[in-house]
Amino acid sequence: MTIQTTLPRINELGYYEMRLESIGGLGANLCGKLLGELGAVQLGLNAASFSSYGSEKRGSPVKAFIRYSAPTQEIRINSPVRHPDCLALFHEAMAGKLPVNAGVQRHCRVVINTALDGAAIRDRMQLAARDIYCVDALTLALQSKSRVNMVMLGAIARATGFIPLEVAKQAVIATLGSKAPELLGANLEGVQRGYDEVQLYHFDDERYPEIPFDSESEGWGWKTAPIGGVNPISGSSVRNDLSASREGYLPLFEPEKCIHCGLCDSTCPDMVFQFFPGELKGRKTMLNRGLDYRFCKGCLRCVDICPTHALTRGVEKEHPHPDYFTPVRDLLTPDLRQTHVGANSWVTSESPNEEILKKGGNV
C-alpha cells in the first residue's frame, strides 16, 4: 500500500537526504537499503540509496546514503551526502575518531546509538544540530533478540517525522520475512522499541559551530605514491587505534587472579597485553601488567582462554575508563600518527542471543 507523503524539507536540488555512519557488523548497509525501498514502495517517492565501505570486515567504517524526492523530481546525482537532513550514528565510539558529524547543520536531526543523554553526547561530539535523538540501541537489541539496525530503523523513522511506524515494519516484512521468518517477530519488536523509546533533546543555543564537510584523503594517492613503494598502513598494525571497532564489550583484567601464564598474549591478535620483567614466587619472570585498550577490538578470545578467569567480559559503557590501561612503550613513538579504526577479524553468528554473546559474539 502506497501513502501520500510530503517531505518536511528539501535542499536546493529538491532532495531530502540522510547519512548513516557505522562500522561493519551493525547492519547500517541493510538499514540504508530498507530506507531506500520503503521510500520508493510505501511512500511513493523517488528514492536512491547506496553504501560506502572498504574491506567488508567487522569494525571497518561504513556509510550509507539515502535520498528522497517528490515523484515529479528526478534524482540525478549519486555522490555522498554532504549535508544530511538526518544523520544516524550507529556506534557512539566513532565520535571524535572519525569526522562523522562533518556537514551537520542546525536543522539536521541526529539519531545516536548511546546510553548518554542528549546534553552529554552533544558536548562529546560538539554537535551543531538543534535536535538530537538518543536511543540505547545495543541494549534494546539484546532485550528484543533483534539487531542494532532494526532498533535504529525505528528510531530514524520517528526522528524524520514523516515515516510511519507501520511503513518501517512493512519494509522489514517484505525484505526479511522470507529470508529469516523465525527472526521476523524479534526484528519487528526491535523496530517498535526503537520507535517508542528514542528520546528527543532540543537545544536552542548555538554553542558549537557547524563543521564543514571535507572529503577524507590520505597523503598518498595515485599521483603521489612512489613507484615501487610499500603500503605503510597495513590491515593490522601498531598504527591502528582499534577502540572504535568494539561492538559493546571489552575484557576486564583482575590482576590478583592472574598467574601470568601468557595464554592471553598468545591468543590476542593485536598485541594488547603488556608484559614486563618481574618476580613471581621468588623466580624472575615476565608479569602481565595490563592492556593497551587502543588496540583491543573486543574479540574476547582472551576471556575464553584465561584459565583463572582473571579476564572477564565487561560492557564498555559501564567501564569508560578501564583500570590497568598500560600503553605500549616499545613500538609507539611520539610522532606516530595513528589511524583510528582498523580491521576487525571477527567471524561470529548472526543470532544475537545470550549463548552466542557468551561465546564472544555480538549484535
Side-chain angles (χ1 to χ4, degrees):
M1 180 182 67
T2 301
I3 64 174
Q4 297 297 320
T5 305
T6 301
L7 295 170
R9 62 172 292 118
I10 55 175
N11 62 17
E12 66 279 3
L13 298 176
Y15 309 142
Y16 180 95
E17 299 182 321
M18 290 188 276
R19 188 172 80 223
L20 315 183
E21 298 273 2
S22 181
I23 60 173
L26 297 183
N29 182 30
L30 176 59
C31 186
K33 290 179 179 178
L34 290 171
L35 287 167
E37 290 175 4
L38 70 84
V41 177
Q42 277 89 20
L43 300 182
L45 301 168
N46 282 333
S49 68
F50 60 98
S51 299
S52 172
Y53 46 84
S55 60
E56 298 189 58
K57 291 182 179 179
R58 290 183 180 275
S60 57
V62 174
K63 300 177 185 288
F65 309 102
I66 304 97
R67 286 189 174 92
Y68 296 146
S69 69
T72 56
Q73 172 70 48
E74 294 184 358
I75 298 177
R76 293 181 173 273
I77 61 173
N78 58 1
S79 57
V81 172
R82 298 169 62 91
H83 302 292
D85 299 296
C86 179
L87 170 72
L89 182 63
F90 278 55
H91 198 309
E92 177 186 342
M94 297 178 71
K97 299 180 180 297
L98 293 171
V100 293
N101 58 344
V104 173
Q105 299 175 325
R106 305 290 179 202
H107 73 272
C108 181
R109 298 183 176 186
V110 181
V111 184
I112 307 177
N113 172 18
T114 180
L116 300 175
D117 61 30
I121 196 66
R122 181 197 188 207
D123 291 339
R124 178 177 175 181
M125 293 185 62
Q126 299 188 1
L127 286 169
R130 293 189 177 93
D131 292 325
I132 299 175
Y133 293 77
C134 298
V135 59
D136 191 353
L138 178 63
T139 297
L140 295 181
L142 285 170
Q143 292 174 354
S144 62
K145 300 294 188 294
S146 63
R147 301 290 302 275
V148 167
N149 57 351
M150 295 293 101
V151 179
M152 291 296 289
L153 176 63
I156 293 167
R158 179 71 173 271
T160 58
F162 65 90
I163 302 177
L165 173 62
E166 290 307 314
V167 166
K169 288 185 174 182
Q170 288 173 18
V172 171
I173 294 170
T175 302
L176 304 179
S178 59
K179 294 181 180 179
E182 70 281 4
L183 298 176
L184 182 58
N187 285 331
L188 292 177
E189 182 184 348
V191 175
Q192 180 77 52
R193 296 197 64 178
Y195 189 92
D196 291 340
E197 299 185 36
V198 64
Q199 298 292 319
L200 166 63
Y201 298 85
H202 178 77
F203 303 93
D204 290 320
D205 63 275
E206 298 183 357
R207 179 182 304 176
Y208 299 111
E210 297 177 350
I211 299 176
F213 183 91
D214 185 20
S215 298
E216 300 174 32
S217 61
E218 291 289 341
W220 282 4
W222 67 274
K223 286 185 177 181
T224 57
I227 296 176
V230 297
N231 179 8
I233 307 178
S234 57
S236 179
S237 76
V238 74
R239 296 176 59 95
N240 286 342
D241 182 340
L242 301 179
S243 57
S245 72
R246 293 194 290 267
E247 298 178 17
Y249 302 96
L250 80 173
L252 301 178
F253 182 45
E254 299 181 50
E256 64 276 5
K257 295 182 180 180
C258 182
I259 59 174
H260 310 282
C261 62
L263 287 175
C264 55
D265 190 50
S266 299
T267 195
C268 177
D270 294 300
M271 303 175 64
V272 169
F273 293 91
Q274 306 306 306
F275 282 76
F276 295 91
E279 187 173 303
L280 179 66
K281 297 181 180 180
R283 188 178 59 173
K284 291 184 177 181
T285 185
M286 300 295 288
L287 301 180
N288 187 356
R289 298 301 187 190
L291 300 77
D292 190 333
Y293 284 98
R294 288 171 296 182
F295 304 122
C296 177
K297 63 188 172 221
C299 68
L300 303 182
R301 294 171 185 168
C302 57
V303 174
D304 289 337
I305 204 171
C306 181
T308 61
H309 304 291
L311 291 159
T312 56
R313 185 188 68 168
V315 178
E316 184 169 6
K317 67 182 180 182
E318 297 176 359
H319 303 275
H321 305 290
D323 293 336
Y324 310 106
F325 176 88
T326 305
V328 174
R329 297 170 184 170
D330 297 332
L331 299 177
L332 293 181
T333 59
D335 59 345
L336 180 67
R337 182 176 68 88
Q338 287 188 286
T339 55
H340 288 297
V341 176
N344 187 329
S345 60
W346 286 19
V347 179
T348 57
S349 170
E350 292 292 318
S351 302
N353 56 47
E354 288 299 323
E355 181 181 356
I356 295 298
L357 288 170
K358 290 177 182 177
K359 294 180 180 179
N362 59 87
V363 295

